[in-house]
Amino acid sequence: MNVRIEASWKEVLQTEFDKPYFAKLTDFVREEYKHGRVYPPAGLIFNAFDLCPFSNVKVVLIGQDPYHEPGQAHGLCFSVNDGVQFPPSLLNIFKELKSDVGKEIPQSGNLSHWAEQGVLLLNATLTVREHQAGAHQGRGWEEFTDAVIRILSEKKDGLVFILWGSYAQSKAKLIDPKKHYILRSAHPSPLSAYRGFFGNHHFSLTNDYLSKTGKSIINW
């Protein structure tokens, strides 16, 4: 199957695109966009990959589902479009960022500048129906994104994997801990942020590791 995605990702993921599950997933997603409101906009489904080519990946931040309200999702986990009010989890991310590295809370919740520096902002499910969190779970996206994580673990060295919350932490089994640096904590959701997300220092720990391994640090 010919999928429109950044060239270096196309090369490493083509075997996934050619599998029967991906054809079935594609049919399902096309029908969803035809018959209802689905996020992100169709042209931004693979935005995380397009902004962060395979060759550039240094950090992988794993989310679960795109935002499901109008105007929010644009294909990057935890990120929202310019001018959109911060969802609670994103606001908590910015609070921890300020506490950890002193970065002031920004005007925009758009994290594209992280992606462009080598942070793959990967949701496990890449599409969602409007107002219906989790509506596209169990349709094949997880099989695809698990393959992405596995391929990154196998083909790259010295990546930082940031796993916030039990769902993201369940993906640790796909990652070789001998080759990569895995950071785990509670999720930034208001329900769990005070149970281990705040004070995790993941932003500074990521940059410390990147610096020690000879990579450029992330300007969060």
mmCIF file of all heavy atoms in Angstrom, residues 80-86 90-91 94 103-110 113:
data_model
loop_
_atom_site.group_PDB
_atom_site.id
_atom_site.type_symbol
_atom_site.label_atom_id
_atom_site.label_comp_id
_atom_site.label_asym_id
_atom_site.label_seq_id
_atom_site.Cartn_x
_atom_site.Cartn_y
_atom_site.Cartn_z
ATOM 1 N N VAL A 80 -1.536 20.702 21.096
ATOM 2 C CA VAL A 80 -2.731 21.291 20.483
ATOM 3 C C VAL A 80 -2.318 22.403 19.517
ATOM 4 O O VAL A 80 -1.211 22.941 19.606
ATOM 5 C CB VAL A 80 -3.721 21.863 21.525
ATOM 6 C CG1 VAL A 80 -4.362 20.754 22.331
ATOM 7 C CG2 VAL A 80 -3.046 22.880 22.438
ATOM 8 N N ASN A 81 -3.207 22.740 18.625
ATOM 9 C CA ASN A 81 -2.963 23.819 17.679
ATOM 10 C C ASN A 81 -2.793 25.161 18.403
ATOM 11 O O ASN A 81 -3.289 25.359 19.516
ATOM 12 C CB ASN A 81 -4.142 23.935 16.695
ATOM 13 C CG ASN A 81 -4.080 22.895 15.603
ATOM 14 O OD1 ASN A 81 -3.103 22.815 14.862
ATOM 15 N ND2 ASN A 81 -5.138 22.097 15.480
ATOM 16 N N ASP A 82 -2.115 26.077 17.745
ATOM 17 C CA ASP A 82 -1.976 27.441 18.261
ATOM 18 C C ASP A 82 -3.361 28.022 18.552
ATOM 19 O O ASP A 82 -4.306 27.821 17.786
ATOM 20 C CB ASP A 82 -1.280 28.334 17.227
ATOM 21 C CG ASP A 82 0.160 27.925 16.975
ATOM 22 O OD1 ASP A 82 0.817 27.451 17.921
ATOM 23 O OD2 ASP A 82 0.626 28.082 15.837
ATOM 24 N N GLY A 83 -3.469 28.759 19.652
ATOM 25 C CA GLY A 83 -4.718 29.439 19.983
ATOM 26 C C GLY A 83 -5.741 28.585 20.701
ATOM 27 O O GLY A 83 -6.811 29.075 21.068
ATOM 28 N N VAL A 84 -5.426 27.299 20.909
ATOM 29 C CA VAL A 84 -6.362 26.400 21.596
ATOM 30 C C VAL A 84 -6.003 26.365 23.080
ATOM 31 O O VAL A 84 -4.830 26.290 23.455
ATOM 32 C CB VAL A 84 -6.276 24.979 20.989
ATOM 33 C CG1 VAL A 84 -7.140 23.996 21.777
ATOM 34 C CG2 VAL A 84 -6.697 25.008 19.522
ATOM 35 N N GLN A 85 -7.025 26.408 23.921
ATOM 36 C CA GLN A 85 -6.801 26.342 25.369
ATOM 37 C C GLN A 85 -6.088 25.043 25.728
ATOM 38 O O GLN A 85 -6.385 23.983 25.178
ATOM 39 C CB GLN A 85 -8.147 26.413 26.096
ATOM 40 C CG GLN A 85 -8.017 26.436 27.615
ATOM 41 C CD GLN A 85 -9.376 26.584 28.298
ATOM 42 O OE1 GLN A 85 -10.389 26.766 27.652
ATOM 43 N NE2 GLN A 85 -9.381 26.504 29.612
ATOM 44 N N PHE A 86 -5.156 25.113 26.672
ATOM 45 C CA PHE A 86 -4.397 23.923 27.068
ATOM 46 C C PHE A 86 -5.315 22.906 27.736
ATOM 47 O O PHE A 86 -5.984 23.236 28.730
ATOM 48 C CB PHE A 86 -3.290 24.267 28.070
ATOM 49 C CG PHE A 86 -2.258 25.248 27.593
ATOM 50 C CD1 PHE A 86 -1.424 25.873 28.508
ATOM 51 C CD2 PHE A 86 -2.092 25.533 26.254
ATOM 52 C CE1 PHE A 86 -0.449 26.773 28.093
ATOM 53 C CE2 PHE A 86 -1.123 26.432 25.822
ATOM 54 C CZ PHE A 86 -0.306 27.050 26.746
ATOM 55 N N LEU A 90 -1.728 18.805 29.380
ATOM 56 C CA LEU A 90 -0.695 19.629 28.765
ATOM 57 C C LEU A 90 -0.266 20.751 29.710
ATOM 58 O O LEU A 90 0.928 21.061 29.822
ATOM 59 C CB LEU A 90 -1.192 20.193 27.437
ATOM 60 C CG LEU A 90 -0.202 21.057 26.658
ATOM 61 C CD1 LEU A 90 1.092 20.309 26.354
ATOM 62 C CD2 LEU A 90 -0.838 21.566 25.361
ATOM 63 N N LEU A 91 -1.220 21.345 30.395
ATOM 64 C CA LEU A 91 -0.876 22.389 31.361
ATOM 65 C C LEU A 91 0.045 21.821 32.450
ATOM 66 O O LEU A 91 1.035 22.460 32.840
ATOM 67 C CB LEU A 91 -2.139 22.969 31.995
ATOM 68 C CG LEU A 91 -1.908 24.074 33.028
ATOM 69 C CD1 LEU A 91 -1.132 25.250 32.442
ATOM 70 C CD2 LEU A 91 -3.241 24.550 33.604
ATOM 71 N N PHE A 94 3.549 21.498 31.178
ATOM 72 C CA PHE A 94 4.248 22.779 31.194
ATOM 73 C C PHE A 94 4.648 23.194 32.621
ATOM 74 O O PHE A 94 5.691 23.807 32.826
ATOM 75 C CB PHE A 94 3.395 23.859 30.536
ATOM 76 C CG PHE A 94 3.280 23.734 29.044
ATOM 77 C CD1 PHE A 94 2.104 24.067 28.389
ATOM 78 C CD2 PHE A 94 4.347 23.300 28.275
ATOM 79 C CE1 PHE A 94 1.990 23.973 27.006
ATOM 80 C CE2 PHE A 94 4.252 23.193 26.893
ATOM 81 C CZ PHE A 94 3.072 23.527 26.259
ATOM 82 N N LYS A 103 11.692 26.645 32.404
ATOM 83 C CA LYS A 103 11.082 27.179 31.181
ATOM 84 C C LYS A 103 9.705 27.763 31.518
ATOM 85 O O LYS A 103 8.848 27.076 32.068
ATOM 86 C CB LYS A 103 10.935 26.058 30.150
ATOM 87 C CG LYS A 103 10.332 26.473 28.839
ATOM 88 C CD LYS A 103 11.387 26.589 27.781
ATOM 89 C CE LYS A 103 10.768 26.967 26.450
ATOM 90 N NZ LYS A 103 11.749 26.994 25.388
ATOM 91 N N GLU A 104 9.494 29.007 31.165
ATOM 92 C CA GLU A 104 8.199 29.638 31.433
ATOM 93 C C GLU A 104 7.096 28.958 30.628
ATOM 94 O O GLU A 104 7.327 28.481 29.511
ATOM 95 C CB GLU A 104 8.247 31.130 31.091
ATOM 96 C CG GLU A 104 9.103 31.956 32.038
ATOM 97 C CD GLU A 104 8.631 31.903 33.491
ATOM 98 O OE1 GLU A 104 7.399 31.885 33.716
ATOM 99 O OE2 GLU A 104 9.480 31.848 34.390
ATOM 100 N N ILE A 105 5.893 28.942 31.190
ATOM 101 C CA ILE A 105 4.757 28.341 30.481
ATOM 102 C C ILE A 105 4.498 29.137 29.212
ATOM 103 O O ILE A 105 4.353 30.359 29.258
ATOM 104 C CB ILE A 105 3.514 28.293 31.388
ATOM 105 C CG1 ILE A 105 3.781 27.320 32.549
ATOM 106 C CG2 ILE A 105 2.273 27.874 30.601
ATOM 107 C CD1 ILE A 105 2.693 27.242 33.587
ATOM 108 N N PRO A 106 4.483 28.469 28.049
ATOM 109 C CA PRO A 106 4.391 29.183 26.771
ATOM 110 C C PRO A 106 2.983 29.710 26.482
ATOM 111 O O PRO A 106 2.016 29.349 27.160
ATOM 112 C CB PRO A 106 4.798 28.127 25.746
ATOM 113 C CG PRO A 106 4.398 26.832 26.374
ATOM 114 C CD PRO A 106 4.592 27.016 27.856
ATOM 115 N N GLN A 107 2.900 30.534 25.459
ATOM 116 C CA GLN A 107 1.600 31.067 25.016
ATOM 117 C C GLN A 107 0.814 30.016 24.246
ATOM 118 O O GLN A 107 -0.415 30.034 24.236
ATOM 119 C CB GLN A 107 1.813 32.297 24.123
ATOM 120 C CG GLN A 107 2.466 33.482 24.825
ATOM 121 C CD GLN A 107 1.603 34.041 25.934
ATOM 122 O OE1 GLN A 107 0.445 34.344 25.732
ATOM 123 N NE2 GLN A 107 2.173 34.158 27.123
ATOM 124 N N SER A 108 1.525 29.118 23.564
ATOM 125 C CA SER A 108 0.879 28.127 22.701
ATOM 126 C C SER A 108 1.180 26.715 23.175
ATOM 127 O O SER A 108 2.281 26.431 23.663
ATOM 128 C CB SER A 108 1.383 28.285 21.252
ATOM 129 O OG SER A 108 0.902 27.218 20.440
ATOM 130 N N GLY A 109 0.199 25.838 23.015
ATOM 131 C CA GLY A 109 0.380 24.427 23.351
ATOM 132 C C GLY A 109 0.833 23.585 22.178
ATOM 133 O O GLY A 109 0.789 22.346 22.238
ATOM 134 N N ASN A 110 1.285 24.230 21.113
ATOM 135 C CA ASN A 110 1.758 23.519 19.919
ATOM 136 C C ASN A 110 3.184 23.035 20.168
ATOM 137 O O ASN A 110 4.101 23.836 20.361
ATOM 138 C CB ASN A 110 1.699 24.479 18.720
ATOM 139 C CG ASN A 110 1.983 23.785 17.407
ATOM 140 O OD1 ASN A 110 2.739 22.825 17.352
ATOM 141 N ND2 ASN A 110 1.386 24.288 16.337
ATOM 142 N N HIS A 113 7.720 22.296 17.724
ATOM 143 C CA HIS A 113 9.155 22.586 17.844
ATOM 144 C C HIS A 113 9.894 21.461 18.572
ATOM 145 O O HIS A 113 11.091 21.273 18.356
ATOM 146 C CB HIS A 113 9.385 23.933 18.539
ATOM 147 C CG HIS A 113 8.885 24.017 19.941
ATOM 148 N ND1 HIS A 113 7.542 23.981 20.259
ATOM 149 C CD2 HIS A 113 9.537 24.127 21.123
ATOM 150 C CE1 HIS A 113 7.395 24.075 21.575
ATOM 151 N NE2 HIS A 113 8.596 24.154 22.126
#
